Amino acid sequence: MHGSLSAGRIERLIAEMDLTEKLGQMTMLAASLVVTGPPGPDNPVTLVRTGKVGGILNTWGYDEIREAQRVALEETRLKIPLYFAVDILHGHRTIHPIPLAEACAFDRELWRRTARESAEEATRDGIQMTFAPMLDVCRDPRWGRIAECAGEDGYVHAEYAREKVVGFQSANPDPNRRLLGVAKHFVAYGAVKAGRDYAEVDVSPRALHEVYLPAFKAAVDAGVAGIMPSFTDIAGVAMTANKELLHDLLRVKWGFNGLVISDYNAIAELMNHGVAADLAEAAALALNAGVDIDMMAGAYENGLPIALERGLVTMAQIDEAVTRILRMKHDVGLFDNPLRGLEKVGPTPDNMPGHRASARDAARRSLVLAKNEGNILPLQRTTRRMAAIGPLADAQSEMMGPWCMAGDEREAIGILQGLRESFAGSEVIHSIGAHCTDEVEPELIAEAVEAARASDVVVLCLGELRQHCGEAASRTTPRPSRAQMQLSRAIMALGKPVVLVLATSRPWILPDWMVDGASAVMLAMFGGTEGGHAIADVMAGDYNPSGRLCISWPTRVGQIPVHYNMRTTGRPFDPDNGFSTRFLDSTIAPRWGFGDGLSYSTFQLGEPQADNKIIDQHGVTEIAIDVTNAAGPEGEATLFLFVNDPVALVTRPVLELKDFAKAVLRPGETKRVGFTLSAAQLTYPDFAMEPRLDDGRIDIYIGVSARPEDLKRLSIEVRQTAKARHTELV
Ligand code: NOJ
């Protein structure tokens, strides 16, 4: 704790502030507006000097931060330090795998560690806040921002949320190395219609409570410093003005005491939504809903004075927001040490000891091996000649994926480089073959075919450019470009063994022939700075793949949304019944589903056992299962624990993830893996969205994926002492 500014002093400071200074604290501006621009009254430095800015986004580094802070401290009337925020989604200088990939590691320690390392680098660069973690559960690969989330499951997001918040905010014992997290985007942004960015959202209260809210609750419980409402609406109520969710739920019911920070220009966009007639109304709606900070809309600065005059808001509300902002600045240590964390000595943020090795470990744990016919992988070290082909083969900067503002692309490792290092005894030739565009260039394909013909194995590296991923990057059909398709056809026609490596930010809709034509398929996504090394490590067998999909890969766009935890229906799929739920022109199962992923080892499960077969509403049962590495090298198994409630008040998902665990096993080794399952984890929202626990049987399924053939079942019974089942119905 930094004790020099007590609550009383914050109050006195607020008493000294004029309205402009208060609204300045409530305003966050982008660095481009603050540190550049011509001299004059609107000169951004003038904005800082006149107290019109409380925090700055998108700048970092010794000189930049020191100069901006100097103006705030030496040239403003009240000498209140600025805070600095950057979108650090998957690494600051050292870039980790994109979140959708890192979630596939199903590794809580890893999630926490990479967040802590991001915080160590970012604080050395003078940053105190990141707009992360991003917690928008998404089942729609058309949405570009799916890259930023942890996949299709709400529980995975809740676990990921806690680890990221702790990793950023409290895992480091040194308070100067802690970064404030801002969980975003509250809430259900991942459900934008048709996956079209910024489009409308219309989800049921049940979907909100079961799927989209739990991650935010977990972030709040872990002490997250801020929450960012999404750009979108929910059922017509714009989130930036959503009092019911921002105030009644977040502040009152959940007791959230931190900052609510608008998204970029989102307050002004309330006019575009058609719910505010002018900036004053927009500002009033946001403040009344509980938004403390206006990012880049100028709405608080220009709209709130008018809103005050019109009686739409009160000074007390403004003071409350300013109090929270000053308290954040105080708690993070800025009043005591305005250059907190910024270092000129010691390791530089882009050269922290151990961070590269850690990033390599993260990238290889995140990679998912989806197909490995005839155990073609790992490749023989004695392979004479290998061809690395495709637009992503030698594309080091693309490996970093979207949102890597301070990452240095010159530091990133491409696939070709990784292969050349790992297969030093082989000749690794390269041919681009195609670009990520639809325009086919026959000469490029011809060259690539020659290279493939002259090789023993082809590593075909397809994917997306990172500028086509992330925000504002929706696609109706996420798939390889036409040029990449033609290239693949030509290469696969040769009949050489093909290892298909997909460097994408999202699930792709692949043609069947492309999957059939590849001997192995690696869903590498974007592994970050060490992406190329990670791919080569797995290909060479230096790492036994352990990633499992946190997101389904549909076979066709028309299947979207497809996810493992669909609800039961009155007519469940039955291959012999045409009037069961199905498509006439496609299977209902995705190509690869949640939990899918291969290892070089074969893991076998024993029969699960529970120490308590009957539990009451306070009960807990310990479940144990043996897992054996039955064939192959040392490897890491991931075990998923799902439940199904067969008779409930409302339809329940066919499977619901409640826990997951890892076990590292030597060849032939057996380990016992334990899970603790409590009655509280078996509740679901009742009609009033309050937790409900049913009496009766609960089926528990444990497996290395969510595929029926991989699951071991056992049942327990819930027997509550008081409340009878279905009381809500009467
Ligand atoms: C807009 C994005 O929606 C949000 O996620 C991000 O934090 C802000 N821009 C600031 O860069």
Side-chain angles (χ1 to χ4, degrees), residues 657-700:
L657 187 69
K658 293 294 173 187
D659 206 349
F660 53 86
K662 297 256 184 193
V664 177
L665 299 157
R666 291 190 304 275
E669 191 183 11
T670 298
K671 274 189 185 163
R672 180 152 291 194
V673 175
F675 297 95
T676 305
L677 189 66
S678 68
Q681 287 171 277
L682 301 174
T683 62
Y684 60 88
D686 67 9
F687 294 138
M689 298 302 133
E690 293 301 328
R692 175 190 170 86
L693 179 67
D694 288 325
D695 274 349
R697 196 181 88 220
I698 293 287
D699 294 326
I700 298 168

Side-chain angles (χ1 to χ4, degrees), residues 19 35 38 40 44 93 101 112 198 202 330 369 446 464 504 510 540 545 555 625 667 700:
L19 182 60
V35 292
R93 298 280 189 153
R112 182 179 294 206
Y198 317 125
D202 200 345
H330 164 254
L369 179 62
E464 306 174 274
T504 67
L510 299 168
T555 56
I625 188 163
I700 298 168

Side-chain angles (χ1 to χ4, degrees), residues 611-612 614-622 675-680:
D611 71 342
N612 274 332
I614 301 175
I615 59 173
D616 67 12
Q617 62 268 46
H618 311 293
V620 165
T621 184
E622 302 289 339
F675 297 95
T676 305
L677 189 66
S678 68

